[in-house]
Amino acid sequence: MRVADLTEQVLNHNDFIDKAIQLALENVRSGSGGPFGALVVKDGQIIASGANQVTSTFDPTAHAEVVAIRKACLAVSHFELTGCAIYSSCEPCPMCFGAIYWARPAHVFFAATASDASAAGFDDSFIKEQLFLPYAKQEMSIAQVSHRLALAPFEAWKTKVDKIAY
Amino acid sequence: MRVADLTEQVLNHNDFIDKAIQLALENVRSGSGGPFGALVVKDGQIIASGANQVTSTFDPTAHAEVVAIRKACLAVSHFELTGCAIYSSCEPCPMCFGAIYWARPAHVFFAATASDASAAGFDDSFIKEQLFLPYAKQEMSIAQVSHRLALAPFEAWKTKVDKIAY
């Protein structure tokens, strides 16, 4: 990498995290949802951005990272974000963390921490604590149900010839 | 609860998990996505169902549970699924687990386990293992970036008078 490229990248890096924070601030001002913004960068260009839309769209999964990932995937017409970087105003919650792992970007950068989010009233840390617990000790009622066909979908999947793996 | 109600509930319970599995099987047959199905039940009625649509919609977040949750929330015009039960053909992955916690249903039931999903080629267990590790030891590149405005969105949120908390 040439020095000029490196300098340009460092400048952009700060610009991108700043842009994610500005999206979060604008989202609070507009009342569209929580104080979170995110964007997806590919080859130095922003290909998608998102802000939290939970309350305005009745969608508990519409966190900034999820919104940005969904838009970015549509932009590249693929369900993975190979080689992309995700910039978020805040450390991803467990749901977004999972979404990011499934999207497989090259890098993730965030500004505020999950502790900062919890201090502002968001359950990120609580959910992560729950994930570490066995179901019997979790706050939510979650349980396995026996069914004779429980493995049938996987067996069908394994023998399907024309499947698209992901 | 009367005995008749209990019997009816037990029957429905099995019907619902069966229906989630049938959705998964049909999804493999149709080629719409992976071998997963889910539905949301409120007051004994199915208010939404979903199957994995990752590959057909270029959306890595379109797991069966997320698809069903998003539809159910639209059906009740709220970002929470208070009093609802979610039935899934498989144990929720960390992303779906997070989505479920944010949606706050009363109960979650699943048939196959995350280990079964991993054996069929799905990364659920891998992602959960990664979530338990510090970032420096994770396979994905993820890091905090210092920014003087990192907490500004939360400060704006805290002082906003007309916000809708979630």
Side-chain angles (χ1 to χ4, degrees):
Chain A
M1 183 182 285
R2 291 180 303 124
V3 173
D5 291 340
L6 185 63
T7 306
E8 186 181 13
Q9 190 179 54
V10 171
L11 284 176
N12 285 342
H13 187 66
N14 286 332
D15 289 347
F16 293 142
I17 203 76
D18 185 79
K19 172 79 173 166
I21 293 170
Q22 296 303 326
L23 285 167
L25 280 166
E26 174 53 30
N27 207 50
V28 176
R29 281 188 210 106
S30 70
S32 299
F36 303 94
L39 43 90
V40 178
V41 173
K42 184 179 172 74
D43 300 331
Q45 303 293 318
I46 297 171
I47 62 168
S49 63
N52 183 290
Q53 300 177 351
V54 168
T55 55
S56 58
T57 64
F58 301 139
D59 181 357
T61 74
H63 285 201
E65 297 93 326
V66 168
V67 173
I69 286 170
R70 298 180 82 223
K71 284 188 192 170
C73 283
L74 282 180
V76 300
S77 297
H78 201 283
F79 48 87
E80 292 185 1
L81 295 172
T82 308
C84 295
I86 296 178
Y87 288 80
S88 178
S89 65
C90 185
E91 190 172 0
C93 82
M95 175 183 72
C96 293
F97 186 89
I100 289 167
Y101 254 94
W102 287 114
R104 298 181 175 83
H107 304 286
V108 181
F109 303 103
F110 62 87
T113 67
S115 295
D116 297 329
S118 288
F122 298 95
D123 278 348
D124 301 40
S125 299
F126 167 75
I127 294 175
K128 190 165 181 182
E129 287 165 14
Q130 296 291 307
L131 248 177
F132 280 62
L133 296 174
Y135 289 141
K137 294 192 174 180
Q138 289 190 18
E139 299 236 345
M140 189 165 59
S141 160
I142 177 167
Q144 189 179 14
V145 177
S146 292
H147 195 290
R148 66 185 173 81
L149 293 177
L151 298 181
F154 294 134
E155 287 156 9
W157 178 257
K158 285 178 197 167
T159 58
K160 186 175 174 69
V161 177
D162 58 344
K163 65 181 171 241
I164 302 172
Y166 64 93
Chain B
M1 185 182 284
R2 292 179 302 123
V3 173
D5 291 342
L6 185 63
T7 306
E8 187 182 12
Q9 190 180 52
V10 170
L11 283 176
N12 285 341
H13 187 67
N14 286 333
D15 289 347
F16 293 143
I17 204 76
D18 185 78
K19 172 79 173 167
I21 293 170
Q22 296 303 328
L23 285 167
L25 280 166
E26 174 52 32
N27 207 50
V28 176
R29 282 187 210 107
S30 70
S32 298
F36 303 94
L39 43 90
V40 179
V41 173
K42 185 180 172 71
D43 300 330
Q45 303 293 319
I46 297 172
I47 61 168
S49 64
N52 183 291
Q53 301 178 351
V54 169
T55 54
S56 58
T57 64
F58 300 140
D59 181 357
T61 74
H63 285 200
E65 297 93 325
V66 168
V67 172
I69 287 170
R70 299 179 82 220
K71 284 188 192 170
C73 284
L74 282 179
V76 299
S77 299
H78 201 285
F79 49 86
E80 292 185 2
L81 295 172
T82 308
C84 295
I86 296 177
Y87 288 80
S88 179
S89 65
C90 185
E91 190 172 1
C93 82
M95 175 183 73
C96 294
F97 186 90
I100 290 167
Y101 254 93
W102 286 113
R104 298 181 176 82
H107 305 286
V108 181
F109 303 103
F110 61 87
T113 67
S115 295
D116 298 328
S118 287
F122 298 95
D123 278 347
D124 302 40
S125 299
F126 167 76
I127 293 175
K128 190 165 181 181
E129 287 165 13
Q130 296 292 306
L131 248 176
F132 281 64
L133 297 173
Y135 290 142
K137 294 193 174 180
Q138 289 189 19
E139 298 236 345
M140 189 166 60
S141 160
I142 177 167
Q144 188 179 16
V145 177
S146 292
H147 193 291
R148 67 186 173 81
L149 293 176
L151 298 181
F154 294 134
E155 287 156 10
W157 178 257
K158 285 179 198 166
T159 59
K160 186 174 174 71
V161 177
D162 59 342
K163 65 181 171 240
I164 302 172
Y166 66 91

